[in-house]
Amino acid sequence: MGTRDGMTSGARHRRRPRGLLAALAVASLLAGCVVVGDRGDPGAARTSPGAAHEVPLRVVEQGGRTLAFVPVSVEGQGPFSFALDTGASTSVVDDDVADRVGLDRTGERRSVSGILGTDEVPVARVDRWRVGDVRLEPGEVTVIDLGPHRQGGLQGLLGSDVLSDFGSIGVDYDDGVLTVPAP
């Protein structure tokens, strides 16, 4: 079993309006974060033939809330630190990460809602991405300026649009492992 260590967590396109409402919603999640579990190499995944894939999970506590971060590679670059967010209907990539890896915006804008209201944000296409060593299906993500939340390590959210593709997942907060079924 892992122990809670109490460590502190430590220009293709010009920026569009900041997606302020979405960023403010993320801010409420990240204020006062503290790492409570970390499992070795953030890009590694463990598998057994015919068994589920295990992806390392970094668990962060903040004032009674718990966040789980996984390593996500986008277009062959990274890994980047994405929070698991089963309550998010769409996955999110920080605009700096999207620009760095060369994600092309589709021209579509999607409405995102947070505790302070709704905003329209750009959409980008991701052709190749992975959580740990597990390949994810190509798809679309919303691109949001996560701004000050980057210093907490947040570079994106892995939402239910992607997680539901697995049918079921396991999140072991004590041992710091995300488990997804083998294909």
Side-chain angles (χ1 to χ4, degrees), residues 7-150:
M7 293 178 2
T8 303
S9 101
R12 275 167 70 96
H13 300 273
R14 276 311 347 133
R15 289 192 181 164
R16 298 192 172 131
R18 293 187 170 247
L20 177 61
L21 297 173
L24 289 174
V26 172
S28 68
L29 291 174
L30 294 178
C33 289
V34 175
V35 173
V36 294
D38 194 355
R39 228 167 125 102
D41 178 7
R46 300 186 316 251
T47 59
S48 300
H53 296 275
E54 292 184 346
V55 178
L57 185 71
R58 183 171 53 99
V59 180
V60 175
E61 279 187 359
Q62 62 143 54
R65 293 184 184 167
T66 303
L67 298 173
F69 289 89
V70 290
V72 174
S73 298
V74 180
E75 303 299 357
Q77 296 183 48
F80 302 101
S81 185
F82 279 46
L84 289 180
D85 190 348
T86 59
S89 60
T90 184
S91 294
V92 171
V93 174
D94 179 67
D95 63 349
D96 281 352
V97 171
D99 288 344
R100 186 179 336 161
V101 303
L103 293 184
D104 288 325
R105 301 335 189 252
T106 66
E108 178 187 356
R109 294 181 73 80
R110 287 200 184 132
S111 182
V112 295
S113 297
I115 58 172
L116 298 176
T118 303
D119 197 7
E120 296 286 320
V121 297
V123 175
R125 175 88 183 151
V126 179
D127 292 317
R128 294 181 307 125
W129 56 335
R130 297 178 147 327
V131 57
D133 287 337
V134 179
R135 188 178 73 76
L136 302 173
E137 292 296 320
E140 293 180 336
V141 294
T142 55
V143 178
I144 297 174
D145 178 5
L146 296 174
H149 315 296
R150 286 184 213 120

Side-chain angles (χ1 to χ4, degrees), residues 51-53 134 166-170 179-183:
H53 296 275
V134 179
F166 294 108
S168 66
I169 61 170
T179 305
V180 296

